[in-house]
Amino acid sequence: MSNLSVKHLIAIKDLQPEDIHLILKTADNFKEVLNRPIKKVPSLRDITIANIFFENSTRTRISFELAEKRLSADVVNFSSSGSSVKKGETLLDTVNNILAMKVDMVVMRHQSPGAPSFLSRHIDANIINAGDGTHEHPTQALLDAYSMMEKLGGASRLKDLQGVKVAIIGDILHSRVAGSNIHCLKKLGAEITLCGPPTLMPKYIESMGVRISYNVKETLEWCDVANVLRIQLERQDIKFFPSLREYSLYYGINKALLDSIDRDIVIMHPGPINRGVEITSDVADSKQSIILQQVENGVAVRMAVLYLLAGRLD
Ligand code: CP
């Protein structure tokens, strides 16, 4: 397979396992390019990409922009704060006005689940979802999978994730990262346990073929990799647990807890981290943690996605 089966990257749910393998293999080639003294290739010369962000971002926005520039694309950045969105312009009008300036691809982050899907039905450009509300964050799941494969593969490069045990711990209910990771890891054959307070566990989530645990120590004893998620207070308009202190006591990952288990597990976090809440600094900054490798790999993975989707331009 040398082409993606999709024209847009809206959700991991839409991808075939072959699409995911193709993206990860292409990302591995771009990672090699990024380790050269000259990190730039001409692959997307004459392609114009708009990064339109209606919600805050540090990692994803910078990572996409760097990926686009490494591929020699022309890049324009739009942020809703300070734009005519504040004067009442609709999402479709905003994007159509940007496209009128001859833009080929749109990378979009939006607070509303479904916004990138809506756009993909109304405009011609390729759309890449950079996170839509609580729905999906597909490139985060792809870079998480790549980072696991790289770390577990060691010298033999990328390990097959078939049968690898992955725990996703934290605020599952509000997390688009959890949703995309579950779809991606299941398509790659990994086993998944979700762990967090019952109030932050979506109803019927077992139907996605995952295990559920409310015991963080047992979960850590089971897994090869623990992907720790942030408590998304900005999406919580009611209290889901009594206090951050209590959350940290029962579900936080700290050094004493890791030392008490008889396994050397890999620690991941998509960021931004709430240090001292879901993870302590001595774990986040430990040798077991690959948090900054995840960020590094994000550029290669996004280069792969952009490059492969450009091959689907009309
Ligand atoms: N992981 C992630 O999406 O981070 P940002 O919100 O900073 O982009």
Side-chain angles (χ1 to χ4, degrees), residues 66-78:
L66 262 181
E68 292 152 4
K69 288 180 171 169
R70 300 285 190 232
L71 291 166
S72 306
D74 293 319
V75 179
V76 285
N77 290 309
F78 165 91

Side-chain angles (χ1 to χ4, degrees), residues 23-35:
I23 293 169
L24 299 179
K25 186 169 164 289
T26 310
D28 205 38
N29 294 336
F30 280 126
K31 175 118 193 208
E32 190 268 315
V33 170
L34 292 174
N35 285 325

